[in-house]
Amino acid sequence: MTPARPAIGYPGIDRTYGDLYDRVTRLAHALAGLDVGRGDRIAYLGPNHPSLVETFLAAGLLGAVFVPLNARLAPPELRFVLDDSGARVVVLGGGHDGGGHDGGGLPGRHLSQDAVEELIAAAPAEPVDEPVSQDDLCLIMYTSGTTGRPKGAMLTHGNLIWNTVNLLVDVPLAHDEVTLVSAPLFHIAALAQTLVPTVLKGGRALLEPSFEVDRTFDLIESERVTVMFGVPSMFTALARSPRWASADLSSLRHLLCGGAPVPEPLIRTYRARGLTFLQGYGMTETSPGALFLGAGHPDAKLGSAGVSCFFSDVRLVAPDGSPAAPGEPGEVYVQGPNVMPGYWRRPKETAKVLSADGWFRSGDIGVADQDGYVRISDRISDMYISGGENVYPAEIENLLYAHPAVAECAVIGVPDEKWGETGKALVVLRSGASAESEELLAHLDGRLARFKIPKYLEFVPELPRNGAGKLLKASLRSLYGEPRS
């Protein structure tokens, strides 16, 4: 439709939509020449780069299945994913710095970026006309594996289409968007919440191999970035920068945030600059959008994950299987055309989380208010029981974040002889700030029931996170799970 419009930007590379169409078509022919066809898996290893987008789209043209590999995984982890997916071809992406993943020892046929360029140059440019339906498998995206071996969430073309429609109902993306994609495209939010909707609308996607604070400010100012997705830790890093107060952020229209609840103090910091978070909640298995808090909602709803996306249904289920009442915690269930059909070659795992009528059990705990706005409390596995009372760490963490000395925090349950379990807070202080543990615990007094206030508080240099920016509570429990402070 718009072959002359800019489509993809990357340091040293600019591609129009005409360029992108030509290269993707040629790459699809080249892959077909390597006996890659309908249903075959094509893996990609590397950070954000135009070749990742081209491989993703070429796989779709062929009816093949794209498998984005987490570039931060160790070789044994990569071998597991490649063996599990049965990928026939592994594209070693442009800009890949090696990192121990040069393809050596990994199964499948490897294509370096130089080899891909040679194949594209030699391939025909005739259109590819392989019938592909919404029910056909589009990609297998492996979950982070924080609770064990990663599982491959199967996402269809229809899953991605309906997720995009859900997003566009809430976010009025235009044809002239300039979207900064610095979160990794091997995670679902960057791929499905930012790249795909931008391309659908004919906007320009600026791909960055990694997130860097100064580089982000530079690009916002020089390229007039209008859309940005990030996890809360990325937006926190920007707000802490010395450049925050003076940076020209006037071009920004939409700040999409997910991966974890956005601390309310961070929301207020951005609102002081005239910027509003569009916060959502979802997961790989829901492509990912399930809940969304768009612009124009009442201030009282800030910090919540919003309401069900338009073409999705969300309900909260109490432990006994009944609907959770407003104000009461319940497990988040999601149903809709964006929900995956299951895990790749994992029928037993699929049956544990996906009912016969398509309701997906998230394993997350949420609380809805009288208007249906949902706040995500925690993973079921992160909840602990103190003296017979369920304690949800996110509630405590949100209050700790409100203390001016706290940069980051996490609360875990630790063994206690009297109560069975009690809370332990792990706190990263802001640069230049100081505080005593007693002071921070006193900050919670009167704001929480006494059984929710952690018994212990320890200051730590940093909190472990995975590649998507999500806090690794299992790692925290392993490192700091002793009762002592």
Side-chain angles (χ1 to χ4, degrees), residues 27-353:
L27 180 55
H29 281 295
L31 290 169
L34 299 177
D35 293 326
V36 174
R38 174 179 294 277
D40 291 328
R41 276 76 65 204
I42 302 171
Y44 184 95
L45 178 60
N48 293 356
H49 188 274
S51 63
L52 185 155
V53 180
E54 292 162 1
T55 306
F56 168 55
L57 296 175
L61 280 184
L62 291 173
V65 182
F66 184 61
V67 184
L69 300 172
N70 187 330
R72 301 184 176 107
L73 296 182
E77 297 171 304
L78 289 170
R79 282 194 293 273
F80 170 81
V81 172
L82 289 170
D83 285 335
D84 189 69
S85 66
R88 175 165 292 186
V89 171
V90 183
V91 176
L92 301 174
H96 187 50
D97 62 1
H101 310 319
D102 60 0
L106 298 181
R109 177 170 182 171
H110 305 156
L111 295 177
S112 69
Q113 189 59 34
D114 287 342
V116 169
E117 291 299 326
E118 292 174 3
L119 288 170
I120 288 174
E126 288 80 12
V128 176
D129 190 21
E130 178 70 30
V132 178
S133 76
Q134 289 196 42
D135 292 332
D136 285 333
L137 194 55
C138 178
L139 66 99
I140 301 173
M141 185 163 280
Y142 280 79
T143 60
S144 57
T146 55
T147 57
R149 285 285 200 181
K151 300 183 292 292
M154 299 187 292
L155 300 179
T156 65
H157 288 271
N159 289 154
L160 295 188
I161 290 168
W162 284 104
N163 177 77
T164 303
V165 173
N166 272 339
L167 181 80
L168 293 177
V169 168
D170 278 312
V171 185
L173 296 183
H175 69 280
D176 60 348
E177 302 293 358
V178 179
T179 301
L180 180 58
V181 185
S182 51
L185 286 164
F186 50 73
H187 289 305
I188 191 64
L191 184 70
Q193 294 290 83
T194 49
L195 176 72
V196 172
T198 298
V199 171
L200 179 67
K201 294 294 292 187
R204 182 183 181 213
L206 294 178
L207 308 183
E208 285 290 297
S210 62
F211 170 75
E212 297 177 6
V213 170
D214 284 337
R215 173 75 175 163
T216 298
F217 281 124
D218 290 344
L219 288 169
I220 292 172
E221 294 177 354
S222 65
E223 303 296 330
R224 307 302 293 165
V225 169
T226 63
V227 180
M228 178 182 170
F229 167 82
V231 296
S233 58
M234 294 166 63
F235 288 111
T236 298
L238 292 172
R240 284 192 210 153
S241 168
R243 295 179 60 176
W244 171 253
S246 60
D248 180 2
L249 307 178
S250 60
S251 63
L252 290 173
R253 300 172 185 165
H254 311 296
L255 296 181
L256 304 173
C257 192
V262 185
E264 291 186 34
L266 185 63
I267 294 173
R268 291 193 292 272
T269 297
Y270 273 75
R271 292 193 79 184
R273 291 293 318 264
L275 300 170
T276 300
F277 282 114
L278 303 177
Q279 182 177 351
Y281 160 80
M283 59 220 85
T284 304
E285 292 89 343
T286 59
S287 307
L291 298 165
F292 200 82
L293 185 72
H297 289 281
D299 284 357
K301 309 303 183 184
L302 290 178
S304 80
V307 297
S308 298
C309 294
F310 193 79
F311 288 103
S312 300
D313 290 313
V314 174
R315 69 185 186 194
L316 302 183
V317 179
D320 64 1
S322 65
E328 296 295 323
E331 184 178 1
V332 180
Y333 281 50
V334 187
Q335 185 190 56
N338 55 308
V339 174
M340 69 168 188
Y343 294 117
W344 176 255
R345 294 176 174 170
R346 295 284 194 281
K348 291 182 179 179
E349 296 292 332
T350 298
K352 291 178 183 178
V353 299

Side-chain angles (χ1 to χ4, degrees), residues 405-406 425-429 434-438 440 457-462 480 485:
V406 175
L426 304 161
V427 173
V428 180
L429 291 174
S434 62
E436 299 294 330
S437 59
E438 294 80 4
L440 294 182
L457 189 145
E458 183 174 344
F459 295 104
V460 297
E462 62 181 2
Y480 304 108
S485 59

